[in-house]
Amino acid sequence: MENINLLETKNIMFTKVSMKLIDEYLELVNDKSIQKFTLTKEKEYSREKEMSWINNVLENNDLVFSMIEKDSNKFIGNASLDKISVDEAEIAISIKNSMQNKGYGLEALKTLIRYARKELKFKSLIAIIFSNNERSLHCFQELGFSEYKRENNVKEENGQCVDDVYLRLEL
């Protein structure tokens, strides 16, 4: 990869989003098993739509990172800090299926939290997670995020009502 590493951990390189990774992004965003935890309704993302997203992120200098596994140079997923106000951002990560259960989520979150606190001087981070995404909820809560709000019945999954769980971490 010719990307510049913006952040780095023991196992992950955080790079700017890149057109070179468009096929990886499309695989990630069009994976139905991932969409069930990220979208209220399934949808299909086109190559053109993804190219537009990449250009938009780069033009706006958004804090969206592609995560690359150091040892193999494989795409892990994306992570972002979306500024809400002067001192607060929404944190999110999405990891492709083949790279899950390897500890990358926790490693990425710890890195983004440290970066948000020390470099960006945010005072708090929020995360919005579907109530049926138990692994993500557990991961965020393990790092000190706590629920402060819940929006009930934002979607239905397998006949069950799913809520949006709002979590906050004071930095």
Side-chain angles (χ1 to χ4, degrees):
M1 295 259 144
E2 297 169 278
N3 289 330
I4 298 167
N5 296 345
L6 304 171
L7 297 169
E8 197 168 315
T9 66
K10 181 181 174 199
N11 300 301
I12 304 170
M13 295 179 294
F14 293 79
T15 67
K16 282 188 173 187
V17 297
S18 166
M19 285 294 178
K20 293 176 187 168
L21 292 170
I22 191 163
D23 291 329
E24 298 283 1
Y25 300 150
L26 282 166
E27 179 187 339
L28 178 69
V29 297
N30 285 319
D31 185 323
K32 303 302 180 211
S33 67
I34 290 175
Q35 284 188 6
K36 112 180 193 176
F37 294 122
T38 58
L39 301 175
T40 52
K41 272 194 246 179
E42 280 186 8
K43 70 201 284 194
E44 189 70 28
Y45 289 90
S46 67
R47 187 171 208 76
E48 293 73 30
K49 186 164 178 82
E50 205 62 13
M51 287 170 66
S52 175
W53 172 78
I54 294 167
N55 284 327
N56 191 45
V57 166
L58 293 172
E59 284 171 18
N60 294 323
N61 209 21
D62 290 340
L63 293 171
V64 179
F65 307 96
S66 292
M67 297 181 290
I68 308 297
E69 185 180 52
K70 277 177 145 178
D71 289 343
S72 68
N73 225 20
K74 289 182 183 173
F75 176 72
I76 296 169
N78 289 327
S80 65
L81 290 166
D82 188 23
K83 195 171 185 178
I84 295 170
S85 68
V86 174
D87 56 6
E88 185 173 60
E90 180 179 346
I91 186 171
I93 62 169
S94 188
I95 297 175
K96 65 188 257 182
N97 268 326
S98 63
M99 300 304 272
Q100 291 181 10
N101 300 314
K102 298 181 180 193
Y104 295 131
L106 202 55
E107 188 173 335
L109 287 172
K110 285 178 179 177
T111 302
L112 287 179
I113 290 166
R114 191 169 39 255
Y115 179 68
R117 178 186 299 125
K118 292 184 177 179
E119 304 298 323
L120 303 175
K121 308 295 186 209
F122 287 129
K123 299 218 180 329
S124 62
L125 293 173
I126 69 159
I128 305 167
I129 302 170
F130 287 137
S131 57
N132 65 338
N133 192 345
E134 294 172 12
R135 287 175 53 208
S136 283
L137 285 169
H138 175 75
C139 193
F140 278 84
Q141 289 166 336
E142 185 177 315
L143 293 171
F145 283 78
S146 55
E147 183 176 340
Y148 71 93
K149 179 174 133 182
R150 188 175 282 250
E151 189 175 328
N152 295 320
N153 306 324
V154 295
K155 74 173 193 164
E156 191 176 299
E157 185 76 37
N158 299 325
Q160 301 288 324
C161 289
V162 177
D163 302 339
D164 266 341
V165 179
Y166 289 72
L167 304 168
R168 176 176 277 121
L169 176 68
E170 299 298 333
L171 302 175

